[in-house]
Amino acid sequence: MDATLVQDVVAEVMRKLQSKVDFKSPVPRVGEDAPANEPMRDNSSASGSNVDGRYGIFNNVDDAVRAASESQQKLLKLSLDERDQIVKLIKSIARQNAHRWGEIEFKETKIGRLDHKIEKLQILELVPGVEYLKTYANSGSNGVCLEEFAPFGVIGVITPVTHSVPTLSANAINMIASGNSIVANPHPSGKDCAVLAVREYNQQIANRFGIEHLITILANPSLETADAIFNHRGISLLVVTGGPAVAKAALRSPKRAIVAGPGNPPVVVDETACLKNAAESIIKGASYDNNLLCIGEKQVFVVESVYDKLVSALQTAGAVQLTRPQIERLTQQAFKPGQDHKPHVNKDFVGKDARLLVEAAGASAPPSCQLTFGETDFDHPFVQEEQMMPFIPLVRVRDVNEAMDKAIESEHGYRHTAIIHSRNLETITRFGRRAATTLFVVNGASPSGLGLGGQGYLSYSIATPTGEGITTPLTFTRYRRVMITGSLRMI
Ligand code: NAD
């Protein structure tokens, strides 16, 4: 980390300290002001007493890197079949513990939905493993050329509070499949559940394969431990999943960083869309884990001619509509002015149930309510901020061109995710090309873009500013060429 960045971080810590009085919950605030600083200073947590240097749990970055490095050397000595077995073991441990770990993560982080915390662990089966490592061969007059996907070594990993165990587990599956080991700095508000999972993974891997520290974790993560990881000579690659502050910090680090950064996914609904499907998809995606997913629908741009029909379809599908005054009442509580005097998401509302949002707005909703919505202007904080709550603002637009323009503007150039409901192929193509997002979902709910109800594999780290996309084992490999000149050609 360079001197300017250290100064930025110190200034950020001081600013958070000053604004601490605004917030009661330990859940961090999301967005540019997302601190992690506040809980990150806490070095006296319960997990501290469990740190014994066994099974990947460490207090010190040097110790973790050393252990991870030794374990990675042992991993390289195993066959690819054995590596495959380790990956499958991690998936099966996650599946077997999904209910217990889901409850523990839910209790610790206090955000999202228990059913989805559990599901996010069960679906780790969809994360690709060793089968992705295919060697390419080119045989010709001059010999044989092999392109192999080799490991980096020890990878420094930063994980978010929104999916603490799922992100760490999916990263571990991908990274171990490609022959790497890990030093993880979890989000302080989701560290205990991550430590628990790491201990369990390593214990079972050690029992069966004799390697104890393939996944190491800092039990008391802080900005200092993150900084030490960013700058450690023993770490060859950084993989950072989180909001704007950490994405920026990683991009400024001297190491190569794969950055899975923030999003603010817009939805476009045009006059040709199947509105029933659009409404059901918006509810499914935006209510998933109470809208904690970075790919989740955050704001909808709907053309005027079908606006009322979309509202009816949302209501029929169970979403609760708020009036403008009710939305304003909710907004007063769900956003707080930051030092820059702009509204920022109030962490107390992040990942909370839709019913609580409706009640905060002064209305009531049945227990089955998963999503609430209402009409806002384009400049509204619910449109502009990555709110991570199951309230969806609908912005009425003249036509699909205006919908696209505003959708793209609201995405703020993150190039993360965009969604469209339309039957017009020309419109779909135009929006896809213009939005240029990493994930582009057509006529479905956002989770289908990660294999849930759609085609394709799963990852919880979608590398956006650095361009690697939805990560796979190949993302964490170095391409190496072996050129055998003048021999071995059999054709
Ligand atoms: P966050 O940015 O507050 O924290 C993410 C991680 O970064 C944590 O481990 C935190 O401790 C650390 N961190 C924060 N600031 C740091 C700094 N200056 N230096 C070093 N480390 C720092 O985010 P969050 O609230 O945990 O997660 C939500 C955010 O993550 C959202 O913006 C969401 O879009 C994004 N996210 C992206 C993806 C993706 O795949 N692209 C996946 C999940 C979440």
Side-chain angles (χ1 to χ4, degrees):
M1 203 181 269
D2 62 29
T4 329
L5 185 53
V6 172
Q7 280 165 10
D8 286 356
V9 168
V10 171
E12 179 84 348
V13 171
M14 294 311 292
R15 201 163 67 67
K16 291 299 144 199
L17 266 173
Q18 282 155 8
S19 64
K20 194 177 162 198
V21 66
D22 286 342
F23 305 111
K24 296 182 286 301
S25 149
V27 179
R29 191 165 154 186
V30 180
E32 183 67 60
D33 286 335
N37 314 2
E38 188 180 314
M40 277 178 136
R41 290 189 314 274
D42 175 13
N43 277 337
S44 60
S45 104
S47 58
S49 57
N50 287 330
V51 184
D52 50 11
R54 296 297 314 272
Y55 303 118
I57 322 293
F58 292 92
N59 250 334
N60 175 294
V61 174
D62 284 336
D63 293 344
V65 174
R66 198 173 306 115
S69 179
E70 283 168 15
S71 287
Q72 197 251 344
Q73 290 303 313
K74 291 182 187 165
L75 178 67
L76 294 184
K77 295 199 176 105
L78 298 186
S79 69
L80 279 181
D81 285 345
E82 287 167 313
R83 224 193 261 179
D84 186 40
Q85 286 164 25
I86 293 179
V87 165
K88 288 183 172 141
L89 179 62
I90 292 174
K91 291 182 179 185
S92 96
I93 296 169
R95 195 178 53 246
Q96 283 163 20
N97 286 286
H99 282 86
R100 190 167 66 88
W101 286 0
E103 275 176 31
I104 292 170
E105 179 160 348
F106 184 57
K107 255 192 191 159
E108 182 184 1
T109 61
K110 302 180 182 69
I111 51 175
R113 280 175 48 171
L114 178 58
D115 53 345
H116 294 146
K117 293 264 178 275
I118 294 168
E119 188 176 48
K120 286 192 295 183
L121 292 167
Q122 290 169 331
I123 60 175
L124 284 167
E125 293 289 343
L126 297 171
V127 177
V130 174
E131 69 282 0
Y132 257 59
L133 305 176
K134 298 262 190 279
T135 296
Y136 289 101
N138 183 332
S139 181
S141 305
N142 295 320
V144 174
C145 169
L146 302 176
E147 302 270 357
E148 296 234 279
F149 298 101
F152 265 90
V154 181
I155 302 182
V157 166
I158 308 277
T159 54
V161 69
T162 45
H163 334 284
S164 184
V165 181
T167 306
L168 185 61
S169 303
N171 280 174
I173 291 166
N174 277 178
M175 292 168 187
I176 292 172
S178 45
N180 302 287
S181 64
I182 293 157
V183 174
N185 207 58
H187 193 290
S189 298
K191 66 187 162 95
D192 289 340
C193 55
V195 164
L196 179 89
V198 164
R199 189 181 291 278
E200 187 67 34
Y201 287 144
N202 284 323
Q203 259 173 356
Q204 294 207 32
I205 295 169
N207 287 346
R208 281 189 50 191
F209 300 93
I211 310 181
E212 192 177 328
H213 304 293
L214 271 184
I215 313 165
T216 66
I217 187 164
L218 277 305
N220 290 296
S222 64
L223 282 177
E224 288 73 28
T225 52
D227 188 35
I229 289 174
F230 283 5
N231 289 289
H232 202 289
R233 287 187 62 187
I235 289 181
S236 348
L237 177 69
L238 298 174
V239 179
V240 168
T241 307
V246 70
K248 219 180 273 175
L251 289 169
R252 290 162 75 175
S253 117
K255 273 186 210 314
R256 179 173 169 218
I258 293 172
V259 178
N264 195 32
V267 186
V268 164
V269 181
D270 80 1
E271 61 280 6
T272 69
C274 169
L275 297 174
K276 179 173 183 295
N277 178 58
E280 288 170 359
S281 299
I282 290 166
I283 293 174
K284 191 170 174 193
S287 70
Y288 196 90
D289 212 11
N290 282 341
N291 214 348
L292 291 183
L293 291 184
C294 55
I295 61 165
E297 290 80 349
K298 297 288 186 298
Q299 62 277 355
V300 177
F301 300 91
V302 49
V303 299
E304 202 156 28
S305 59
V306 292
Y307 181 91
D308 292 338
K309 286 186 188 147
L310 181 66
V311 167
S312 301
L314 283 164
Q315 286 172 324
T316 306
V320 170
Q321 187 179 17
L322 298 180
T323 62
R324 276 194 186 254
Q326 287 168 341
I327 294 169
E328 284 327 299
R329 195 163 164 187
L330 173 62
T331 307
Q332 294 297 320
Q333 300 163 76
F335 295 87
K336 301 268 184 205
Q339 295 282 300
D340 54 6
H341 304 296
K342 292 184 185 152
H344 290 275
V345 174
N346 176 358
K347 60 184 180 174
D348 292 345
F349 280 71
V350 167
K352 296 300 182 229
D353 290 344
R355 245 179 101 197
L356 291 179
L357 303 185
V358 174
E359 280 163 18
S364 64
S368 59
C369 171
Q370 298 188 49
L371 186 77
T372 174
F373 72 97
E375 182 168 6
T376 71
D377 296 330
F378 175 67
D379 295 332
H380 199 280
F382 266 116
V383 175
Q384 299 299 327
E385 296 288 307
E386 188 192 17
Q387 86 271 20
M388 298 199 170
M389 300 171 204
F391 170 83
I392 282 289
L394 299 193
V395 180
R396 201 190 288 255
V397 289
R398 221 175 30 252
D399 55 28
V400 77
N401 292 328
E402 188 185 354
M404 286 190 209
D405 290 346
K406 291 202 157 135
I408 291 164
E409 198 179 332
S410 73
E411 214 263 330
H412 304 310
Y414 291 136
R415 293 188 164 196
H416 196 298
T417 297
I419 299 125
I420 187 166
H421 292 275
S422 171
R423 288 180 173 118
N424 183 326
L425 278 182
E426 190 272 330
T427 299
I428 294 168
T429 311
R430 201 149 48 92
F431 185 47
R433 292 177 72 96
R434 284 193 58 201
T437 47
T438 307
L439 193 59
F440 181 51
V441 178
V442 179
N443 294 331
S446 58
S448 71
L450 292 185
L452 261 183
Q455 291 300 119
Y457 60 87
L458 169 72
S459 166
Y460 291 110
S461 296
I462 302 158
T464 39
T466 48
E468 293 81 0
I470 300 159
T471 52
T472 75
L474 292 183
T475 312
F476 310 112
T477 56
R478 297 165 56 226
Y479 285 25
R480 295 187 59 198
R481 174 176 286 191
V482 182
M483 181 60 224
I484 304 131
T485 43
S487 53
L488 281 188
R489 180 168 66 86
M490 305 290 156
I491 56 173

